Amino acid sequence: MSVLVSKESRILCQGITGSQGSFHTEQCIEYGSNIVAGVTPGKGGSTHLDVPVFNSVAEAKADLEIDVSMIFVPAKFAADAMKSAIESEIGLIVCITEGVPVQDMIEVKAMLNGSDSILLGPNCPGIITPDETKIGIMPGFIHQKGSVGIISRSGTLTYEAVHQTSICGLGQSTCIGIGGDPIKGLNFIECLSLFEKDPETEGIVMVGEIGGSDEEKAAEFIKENISKPVVAYVAGVSAPPGKRMGHAGAIVTGKEGTALSKYEALNDAGVATTDSPALIGKIMKDLLNR
Amino acid sequence: MNLHEYQSKKLFLDHGIPVLKGEIANSLNEAKSAAEKIQSAIWVVKAQVHAGGRGKAGGVKIAKSIAEVGERAAEMLGTNLITKQTDDLGLPVRMVYIESGTSIQSEYYLSLLVDRTKESWTFIASKEGGVDIEAIAEESPDKIINYTIDPLKGLEIESLKEMADRMDFIDDIQSQFISITKKMFEIAKEKDANLIEVNPLILDDENQLIALDAKITIESNALFRQKELLLLKDDSQENELEVKASEHDLSYVSLDGNIACMVNGAGLAMATMDLIKLHGGEPANFLDVGGGATTERVKMAIEIIMENPNVDAILINIFGGIVRCDVIAQGIYEAVKSTKIDIPIVVRLQGTNVELGRKILEESGMKIISASDLTDAAIKVVASVKGKVE
């Protein structure tokens, strides 16, 4: 068991012939991911990395069974790529692309609500179930099959948490990089709930960042709904408050968004928080051994 | 990307949101001829900086004659304005906006922003404008009126009317208010604005609603389709090193400490700063070399962090995923060789091609302190500057 993806997942790559799409798809195939097709408008009918290329998601979906779409198209076309995947009712859409305008994400999210698709990202490293499937840009070799579910807003900091849980022998059930964009798909709460239900996951690591109120909301959720041990680190205690122009943002978020507010909420929810990103693995190990 | 008040007001004018007559000036003489052109009995001279709180900081002054307009402008130009929203150095005043005076019956607050929590656009309005709106939001939230737009339905006239009712706007003033909100949404959509703030929105003695101030922020990720707005970018309002870094696709923020950092990934970069602080040091900067770091970019990154005279040591923390450690090591080697760095450099490499990277550094003959993990790196770099921190 794992969450969202396994070695059975049949994966499509949107933007497979681009340099990023090409490089990372190859790495995924090497890891053992089941890449079944690619999409690049205008290149339909060709073959790339030994898989068939289609002009559109709809064409690929008509021909093949597809569970996941991994998106590598440039930022200016990313919203359209996500929309076409939603239209084709792809179950899980993983958008790696960085720099998607937030205005575009308002439209994508509006379309997503009421559809059956789940979105991960944009601006995220992707998702991996060790030894089964890697859908994204994370270095596969640092992962190890095991019992910790990892949810993170940051890319390289996720690798840090993965590395630590690997060297202390716990390993990971599934690692989900939710990305750091203000408007995005899956958030902490949905992932926490998935890991709670997954029998293979014994503990959950949450890596947050300053800004927004996702960690505060997750803390509220953990209080009522999560029985498994949770370890959390929030990056940015030392970051100076950002320069800003107007007051509107502060009116909307109030005091939420600072590292202090996030730590307070998480501590209050019984989460094992740490102010050192180097201790994530050790703390989880201690909690699970008890 | 932030726009100046005068640039925001030009957009308002183009879209039909009422503003006062105004002219931009960057010298005493220009200010005087601007005042003549405007023809008014009273003028307001406003410093153009990317920060709020200008009034209390002396960046907004009234003038009662053309000569006085010149004097007020000359006093502001060339200085740095320090407000509640800037750092201790303030922001350079390179231009002033000369505006005609107006009568004021009452002041209101109105803004439209991308609301990350609601995942849509939200209007915020209040009958209490021109004052510390954040304090009002905290102390009496009932005085804040919100309307979140349903992205599938777009602007709904009923909701705008309801907002106007709660602002106690009736008849013609109500129509003026609704028209302004519609045009704000038009600008937000057309120009990819994240924030449009009017504080204050005023009602003059002729019962006309006028935007007395204007702040607009444009979504940086959307600048590829807002080429004409890109021309309005004012780098003088940003930190010099930050601008230089962004030209090389590096994300850099200056800080007050003496330990420079170079890290790949924003989250890990913040975590590295947190650790330096946790172990008793002070970070000199935030620097993310990004996912696609090349030897050239690493070299440029080191050059940029060395331009800060307060730097006493460097901590390089790389978790190679897409980035290969040997590429980073080569960049460090070349930068150190060409810039003759003589301060301690602590390096922690992990991930892809880590052995190769460590070998390059070991064989380079450079005085590099290598660290085994995050904590070790932070402890070593803090120890290396001990005695230099106040």
Side-chain angles (χ1 to χ4, degrees):
Chain A
M1 281 293 289
S2 54
V3 307
L4 292 166
V5 295
S6 70
K7 63 174 177 294
E8 315 298 328
S9 303
R10 298 167 59 85
I11 308 155
L12 169 81
C13 175
Q14 289 176 256
I16 193 168
T17 56
S19 69
Q20 292 284 317
S22 212
F23 175 79
H24 290 292
T25 304
E26 201 169 2
Q27 300 278 312
C28 292
I29 293 172
E30 213 169 278
Y31 193 79
S33 307
N34 185 17
I35 309 278
V36 296
V39 166
T40 299
K43 293 197 177 161
S46 63
T47 302
H48 188 70
L49 304 172
D50 290 335
V51 299
V53 178
F54 293 85
N55 286 317
S56 68
V57 181
E59 278 179 27
K61 187 84 197 291
D63 246 41
L64 294 162
E65 200 182 305
I66 294 159
D67 307 307
V68 183
S69 178
M70 168 169 76
I71 299 178
F72 278 104
V73 307
K76 56 173 90 170
F77 307 118
D80 285 341
M82 286 182 258
K83 287 178 190 168
S84 63
I86 299 169
E87 269 165 11
S88 294
E89 297 174 351
I90 302 290
L92 176 66
I93 303 161
V94 180
C95 185
I96 308 297
T97 309
E98 183 181 347
V100 181
V102 69
Q103 285 80 1
D104 293 2
M105 285 312 297
I106 293 178
E107 289 176 20
V108 171
K109 283 296 299 246
M111 192 171 163
L112 200 67
N113 296 333
S115 80
D116 289 329
S117 299
I118 294 172
L119 174 69
L120 178 61
N123 188 18
C124 75
I127 179 168
I128 181 169
T129 293
D131 291 352
E132 295 198 29
T133 190
K134 161 176 131 86
I135 305 168
I137 59 175
M138 63 291 276
F141 71 93
I142 59 171
H143 298 78
Q144 185 186 308
K145 195 163 195 55
S147 58
V148 180
I150 295 180
I151 317 163
S152 172
R153 268 175 76 181
S154 144
T156 42
L157 200 47
T158 318
Y159 310 160
E160 196 66 54
V162 167
H163 180 67
Q164 287 174 31
T165 49
S166 284
I167 54 174
C168 75
L170 292 171
Q172 308 85 37
S173 51
T174 298
C175 306
I176 312 174
I178 59 175
D181 276 10
I183 298 183
K184 57 178 169 279
L186 283 181
N187 214 319
F188 285 118
I189 292 179
E190 293 91 338
C191 300
L192 282 163
S193 157
L194 288 167
F195 281 129
E196 174 72 14
K197 286 183 216 129
D198 174 39
E200 207 174 288
T201 304
E202 289 170 26
I204 306 166
V205 168
M206 249 181 83
V207 180
E209 264 177 34
I210 47 168
S213 55
D214 296 345
E215 291 80 1
E216 286 90 337
K217 285 186 198 142
E220 273 306 304
F221 181 81
I222 289 169
K223 242 191 242 176
E224 303 292 326
N225 304 285
I226 304 295
S227 62
K228 295 177 182 177
V230 182
V231 174
Y233 166 71
V234 178
V237 176
S238 61
K243 289 176 240 168
R244 57 197 175 83
M245 285 251 294
H247 299 278
I251 295 172
V252 174
T253 56
K255 286 207 182 321
E256 291 184 338
T258 62
L260 191 69
S261 141
K262 292 174 192 299
Y263 273 120
E264 266 176 21
L266 290 164
N267 283 330
D268 188 45
V271 171
T273 59
T274 170
D275 53 5
S276 168
L279 298 178
I280 297 169
K282 189 187 171 297
I283 293 172
M284 182 53 88
K285 175 106 180 158
D286 291 348
L287 279 176
L288 291 181
N289 278 351
R290 206 164 35 192
Chain B
M1 185 190 93
N2 295 330
L3 298 187
H4 280 298
E5 175 195 5
Y6 80 94
Q7 296 165 333
S8 304
K9 282 187 171 166
K10 173 75 170 48
L11 282 182
F12 277 12
L13 196 66
D14 292 347
H15 284 259
I17 295 175
V19 291
L20 296 168
K21 260 193 213 164
E23 293 282 336
I24 195 76
N26 52 31
S27 70
L28 184 149
N29 285 335
E30 270 187 33
K32 281 177 20 187
S33 46
E36 267 167 36
K37 210 163 146 193
I38 291 162
Q39 287 188 344
S40 179
I42 190 165
W43 296 264
V44 181
V45 182
K46 304 168 98 176
Q48 297 299 289
V49 291
H50 285 173
R54 292 174 302 167
K56 279 184 188 144
V60 179
K61 294 251 168 86
I62 287 169
K64 290 181 176 147
S65 69
I66 287 181
E68 208 186 327
V69 168
E71 282 167 35
R72 295 291 91 81
E75 282 163 15
M76 286 181 205
L77 286 165
T79 64
N80 271 25
L81 189 70
I82 303 162
T83 85
K84 247 171 83 178
Q85 291 188 8
T86 67
D87 59 18
D88 297 344
L89 295 173
L91 289 169
V93 183
R94 307 211 312 176
M95 285 171 290
V96 289
Y97 192 53
I98 316 294
E99 207 166 54
S100 70
T102 177
S103 56
I104 298 177
Q105 244 189 87
S106 33
E107 302 185 41
Y108 310 93
Y109 176 89
L110 177 64
S111 65
L112 172 63
L113 83 160
V114 171
D115 185 343
R116 60 191 292 166
T117 314
K118 305 271 175 56
E119 303 190 327
S120 185
W121 292 272
T122 295
F123 274 108
I124 300 168
S126 176
K127 283 195 276 183
E128 318 258 334
V131 285
D132 193 350
I133 190 77
E134 283 175 47
I136 290 173
E138 202 172 310
E139 285 153 23
S140 28
D142 51 305
K143 288 183 178 163
I144 303 286
I145 302 162
N146 283 309
Y147 160 41
T148 299
I149 298 164
D150 180 336
L152 292 177
K153 292 181 182 154
L155 268 191
E156 288 172 281
I157 195 76
E158 275 314 307
S159 305
L160 291 178
K161 272 199 181 125
E162 202 187 305
M163 208 170 33
D165 285 340
R166 291 184 59 194
M167 293 287 280
D168 292 335
F169 291 143
I170 51 163
D171 305 329
D172 177 56
I173 302 174
Q174 171 155 128
S175 338
Q176 288 181 49
F177 179 76
I178 291 174
S179 154
I180 289 171
T181 52
K182 278 183 179 168
K183 284 161 183 166
M184 282 168 74
F185 189 54
E186 204 176 279
I187 295 174
K189 294 271 277 186
E190 249 176 57
K191 307 294 179 190
D192 287 307
N194 285 346
L195 167 74
I196 303 176
E197 186 176 67
V198 184
N199 187 27
L201 172 73
I202 61 138
L203 189 67
D204 72 4
D205 287 347
E206 273 89 55
N207 284 337
Q208 295 300 307
L209 284 176
I210 300 166
L212 205 59
D213 194 8
K215 287 188 180 69
I216 296 182
T217 306
I218 307 294
E219 163 75 359
S220 322
N221 286 339
L223 290 172
F224 67 85
R225 60 186 178 213
Q226 299 294 349
K227 297 251 158 62
E228 75 290 359
L229 291 179
L230 205 50
L231 301 174
L232 304 181
K233 194 161 181 269
D234 182 358
D235 284 341
S236 77
Q237 301 294 306
E238 314 291 330
N239 177 291
E240 211 178 308
L241 280 178
E242 290 170 21
V243 173
K244 188 173 169 188
S246 75
E247 281 163 7
H248 292 90
D249 281 332
L250 298 165
S251 174
Y252 174 93
V253 181
S254 265
L255 300 167
D256 298 332
N258 62 343
I259 299 174
C261 329
M262 185 184 92
V263 188
N264 66 326
L268 191 58
M270 275 197 284
T272 306
M273 287 160 46
D274 291 353
L275 266 177
I276 290 174
K277 208 147 182 168
L278 192 66
H279 291 283
E282 286 292 334
N285 67 274
F286 164 95
L287 193 151
D288 172 12
V289 281
T294 57
T295 302
E296 259 318 293
R297 246 163 93 183
V298 170
K299 219 176 124 187
M300 180 50 68
I302 292 178
E303 276 173 38
I304 286 171
I305 55 186
M306 285 307 293
E307 276 186 47
N308 176 351
N310 300 328
V311 170
D312 289 325
I314 303 176
L315 172 55
I316 297 174
N317 180 19
I318 302 292
F319 203 114
I322 318 166
V323 174
R324 284 163 29 206
C325 292
D326 54 323
V327 170
I328 299 283
Q330 190 63 31
I332 299 171
Y333 172 64
E334 286 179 23
V336 172
K337 208 171 60 179
S338 65
T339 49
K340 300 195 180 71
I341 298 172
D342 57 357
I343 55 173
I345 303 177
V346 177
V347 180
R348 182 261 183 160
L349 294 178
Q350 193 52 259
T352 311
N353 288 2
V354 60
E355 294 309 326
L356 221 57
R358 284 185 189 149
K359 201 167 154 229
I360 291 173
L361 294 181
E362 273 163 27
E363 288 172 2
S364 69
M366 293 184 295
K367 277 187 290 174
I368 283 177
I369 307 166
S370 68
S372 54
D373 61 32
L374 273 177
T375 307
D376 188 38
I379 291 173
K380 279 179 174 158
V381 77
V382 172
S384 79
V385 297
K386 233 180 177 176
K388 288 181 183 168
V389 196
E390 282 170 40

